[in-house]
Amino acid sequence: MRKAVYISLFIGLLISCGNEKSTAEIDKFVTEIDNRNDLTESVTEFNTEDLDGEVVGGISIYELTDENGEIYRIVAEVGQPNHSPANYEFYFKRDSLTFAKIMEFNETGTDTIVNSEYYYDGIDLIKQIDRKKEKMDAETVRQVSEFYLVYGKKTTK
């Protein structure tokens, strides 16, 4: 019986070490993307107007691409009426989500209500770190990243 417990603990340790290595590799990838000088950042902005034509919110989308149009990072800053302001960061490796950071703020923008990081291997979530009680489902994050990636591909052509 003890032998089975030790084997289970050892296998669990190996699995957790494997995930830590993967998250460390992803962290390194994110840092490398942020430090690259050969990538070009473009921005697209949309305003939300009320019925009187007054701007009450909007979305800014920043895309980091190489000379071939491959997208490495998308940052979306979202501020809409009756919604908390939010920042979404998505990092891609060959069109596959690798890392995401989601931050949503209270209505005044003075405190975060969602502050989470997501590590992916393909469509599989490796690790999720939630720094606040509120969080976004990892599958929803992946789907939102796909929306922005498809949008980004249309604008870079």
Side-chain angles (χ1 to χ4, degrees), residues 23-77:
T23 58
E25 289 172 356
I26 292 170
D27 285 335
K28 182 180 175 192
F29 172 75
V30 166
T31 300
E32 288 172 355
I33 294 303
D34 287 341
N35 291 330
R36 283 181 62 174
N37 295 324
D38 63 320
L39 301 177
T40 304
E41 186 170 56
S42 62
V43 62
T44 306
E45 295 180 331
F46 301 95
N47 289 326
T48 303
E49 299 178 353
D50 64 11
L51 295 175
D52 297 325
E54 188 174 327
V55 174
V56 293
I59 300 174
S60 297
I61 303 171
Y62 301 87
E63 299 167 6
L64 197 60
T65 59
D66 66 11
E67 62 188 23
N68 298 319
E70 183 173 345
I71 297 173
Y72 289 89
R73 181 185 72 206
I74 295 177
V75 176
E77 296 174 351

Side-chain angles (χ1 to χ4, degrees), residues 9 12 26 32 43 52 64 68 77 85 89 93 95 100 102 106 113 127 134 136-137 146 150 153 157:
L9 287 172
I26 292 170
E32 288 172 355
V43 62
D52 297 325
L64 197 60
N68 298 319
E77 296 174 351
E89 291 182 32
K93 191 179 224 178
D95 293 344
I102 307 297
N106 63 5
I113 54 176
K127 185 175 185 177
E134 296 293 321
M136 189 180 285
D137 177 69
E146 287 177 1
V150 169
K153 287 189 168 294
K157 288 185 178 181

Side-chain angles (χ1 to χ4, degrees), residues 85-140:
N87 290 344
Y88 306 128
E89 291 182 32
F90 304 108
Y91 289 79
F92 302 94
K93 191 179 224 178
R94 293 183 291 282
D95 293 344
S96 179
L97 180 64
T98 302
F99 176 80
K101 182 173 184 174
I102 307 297
M103 292 182 71
E104 291 185 11
F105 302 89
N106 63 5
E107 289 185 18
T108 62
T110 57
D111 191 20
T112 55
I113 54 176
V114 174
N115 185 355
S116 299
E117 295 178 350
Y118 305 81
Y119 294 82
Y120 293 89
D121 181 13
I123 62 170
D124 298 322
L125 178 70
I126 297 172
K127 185 175 185 177
Q128 180 173 337
I129 301 169
D130 299 307
R131 292 185 175 83
K132 295 287 186 169
K133 183 178 178 181
E134 296 293 321
K135 58 188 171 191
M136 189 180 285
D137 177 69
E139 179 60 20
T140 302

